[in-house]
């Protein structure tokens, strides 16, 4: 299949999904949705409007600043698009509005600037607009086989990073130095973008999104390592918790409990299971052991061309798992002022169960 046919089919699928959701179409601004749908990645996001309009019964319309039209015309999916350029002084919102159902409701990509959405609302005052992740949350959630293998390759690169980092010296080094090692290793293993390198040592590990800082890692510290980014356009995200020197009995107990919760949630994955039930299984293991109040975040999030996207493994999410959904399973326990533990794998739902895309050992690793 050519690039043009590939992106044409993807945009057609998006239009069908929009119609099924009762929408008149989609308006997509620069960001992950635009690249995923038509292959066009804007050279630089500015105040000038770029927008893709998808609607039934018409060819996809990409409105771009005239000075960026050559880039748009050379994008992989350009042959499937009608491209309309506009010059400074013209009203690009009128161009978009002229192709809208004046009373239709449209899904708008989450990355759309308020500047642009407000202008569209003024230009088409009777049209309705809704955030894409609210009106069409599953647009990118189900991956095809090629996307799954790209995610698997990103996961393998993150695994290789972990296998290397556990052999470096931790004690006596600052968190940010270990974080820099993680970023370098991710790039060495093929990542073009590093999104995060969390290194939470000792009491800092009790903050799930701790930003690696100047704390010197000490012997006796539990250290949470959470890192990921993009490789070949698809995300990685994995967490392992290591210990500097021999852990105490309590530290081993807490780590084993998180590992048990993570395994139980993984075993719950299969088509038809509600996303919230994956969260419930992990949370039940931790709650029964008396640590429920210290598990303070959802069990997981989707991953694809971004490292966080639908679906979410969280209470209240009734959407059922279907084959091709890829998401994290990452329960944790966080004891304020003391330490934290989190274990995370990316998992894909198959026709019958779950498949891990991270395969490093989940047992507590002792480092130096």
């Amino acid at each position: 299949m050519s690039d043009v046919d590939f992106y044409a089919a993807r945009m057609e699928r998006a239009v069908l999904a929009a119609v099924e959701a009762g929408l008149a179409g989609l308006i997509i601004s620069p960001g992950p949705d635009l690249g995923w749908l038509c292959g066009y990645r804007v050279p630089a996001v500015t105040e000038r409007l770029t927008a893709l309009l998808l609607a039934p019964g018409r060819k996809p319309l990409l409105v771009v600043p005239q000075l960026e039209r050559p880039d748009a015309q050379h994008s992989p999916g350009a042959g499937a698009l009608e491209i309309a350029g506009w010059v400074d002084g013209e009203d690009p919102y009128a161009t978009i509005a002229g192709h809208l159902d004046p009373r239709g409701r449209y899904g708008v990509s989450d990355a759309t600037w308020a500047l642009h959405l407000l202008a569209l609302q003024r230009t088409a005052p009777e049209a309705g607009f809704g955030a894409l992740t609210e009106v069409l949350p599953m647009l990118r959630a189900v991956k095809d086989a090629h996307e799954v293998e790209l995610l698997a390759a990103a996961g393998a690169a993150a695994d290789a990073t972990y296998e290397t980092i556990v052999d470096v010296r931790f004690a006596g080094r600052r968190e940010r130095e270990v974080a820099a090692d993680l970023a370098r290793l991710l790039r060495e293993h093929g990542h073009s973008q590093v999104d995060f390198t969390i290194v939470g040592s000792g009491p800092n590990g009790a903050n799930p999104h701790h930003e690696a800082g100047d704390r010197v890692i000490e012997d006796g510290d539990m250290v949470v390592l959470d890192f990921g980014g993009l490789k070949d356009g698809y995300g990685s995200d994995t967490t392992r918790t290591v210990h500097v020197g021999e852990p105490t009995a309590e530290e081993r107990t807490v780590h084993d409990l998180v590992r048990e919760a993570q395994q139980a949630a993984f075993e719950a994955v299969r088509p038809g299971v509600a996303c919230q039930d994956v969260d419930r299984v992990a949370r039940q293991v931790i709650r029964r052991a008396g640590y429920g109040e210290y598990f303070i975040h959802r069990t997981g999030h989707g991953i694809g061309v971004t490292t966080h996207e639908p679906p979410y493994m969280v209470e209240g999410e009734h959407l059922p798992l279907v084959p091709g959904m890829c998401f994290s399973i990452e329960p944790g326990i966080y004891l304020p002022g003391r330490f934290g533990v989190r274990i995370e794998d990316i998992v894909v739902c198959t026709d019958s169960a779950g498949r891990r895309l991270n395969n490093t050992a989940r047992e507590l690793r002792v480092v130096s």
Side-chain angles (χ1 to χ4, degrees), residues 2-22:
S2 69
D3 284 344
V4 171
D5 290 340
F6 174 81
Y7 286 109
R10 188 169 271 181
M11 287 186 284
E12 183 178 357
R13 193 177 93 196
V15 169
L16 291 173
V19 171
E20 289 177 2

Side-chain angles (χ1 to χ4, degrees), residues 79-351:
L81 302 169
E82 175 187 342
I83 300 177
W86 63 276
V87 297
D88 291 346
E90 294 180 349
D91 183 359
Y93 307 105
T95 300
I96 292 284
H99 294 279
L100 299 181
D101 176 344
R103 293 181 176 80
R105 179 168 171 77
Y106 290 82
V108 180
S109 53
D110 294 10
T112 301
W113 286 14
L115 169 72
H116 300 315
L117 180 57
L118 291 170
L120 280 171
Q121 288 175 326
R122 288 194 300 270
T123 309
E126 295 186 62
F129 303 95
L132 200 59
T133 54
E134 292 183 0
V135 298
L136 211 60
M138 293 298 104
L139 179 63
R140 301 196 325 255
V142 179
K143 276 64 180 179
D144 61 31
H146 179 61
E147 289 181 295
V148 170
E149 291 315 306
L150 287 171
L151 285 163
D159 285 356
T161 294
Y162 174 73
E163 294 291 4
T164 302
I165 202 71
V166 292
D167 289 331
V168 308
R169 181 76 180 174
F170 279 72
R173 302 179 70 212
R174 299 183 189 278
E175 292 173 341
R176 59 179 171 79
E177 294 174 314
V178 177
D181 285 342
L182 285 169
R184 172 180 56 81
L185 288 166
L186 283 170
R187 291 191 176 96
E188 287 180 3
H189 288 290
H191 279 63
S192 60
Q193 177 177 312
V194 176
D195 287 343
F196 48 87
T197 52
I198 294 171
V199 179
S201 64
N204 287 342
N207 176 359
H209 282 175
H210 171 69
E211 185 173 345
D214 287 331
R215 184 181 185 277
V216 175
I217 301 170
E218 303 173 352
D219 187 66
D221 278 347
M222 196 80 91
V223 185
V224 177
L225 304 171
D226 183 350
F227 50 95
L230 298 181
K231 179 182 185 295
D232 297 325
Y234 281 78
S236 69
D237 186 0
T238 188
T239 308
R240 295 292 184 264
T241 303
V242 301
H243 197 277
V244 185
E246 287 302 316
T248 65
E250 182 189 18
E251 287 170 331
R252 282 197 180 276
T253 295
V254 171
H255 190 279
D256 286 346
L257 180 60
V258 173
R259 183 160 58 94
E260 179 186 350
Q262 208 259 2
Q263 178 65 25
F266 169 71
E267 292 176 357
V269 174
R270 61 185 181 278
V273 169
C275 291
Q276 70 175 3
D277 288 338
V278 177
D279 179 82
R280 287 175 175 179
V281 167
R283 206 166 296 280
Q284 183 179 55
V285 171
I286 292 173
R287 185 182 296 119
R288 283 178 174 174
Y291 288 91
E293 66 183 294
Y294 303 112
F295 182 9
I296 56 176
H297 56 71
R298 64 195 176 200
T299 293
H301 58 82
I303 189 168
V305 293
T306 58
T307 48
H308 280 212
E309 61 186 48
Y312 299 104
M313 306 300 114
V314 66
E315 183 66 30
E317 182 52 86
H318 301 283
L319 283 167
L321 299 181
V322 299
M325 282 185 176
C326 296
F327 48 89
S328 68
I329 296 180
E330 50 179 304
I333 293 175
Y334 308 94
L335 304 179
R338 301 180 62 201
F339 65 89
V341 175
R342 182 164 66 256
I343 300 172
E344 174 185 15
D345 293 323
I346 299 304
V347 172
V348 57
C349 182
T350 72
D351 290 338

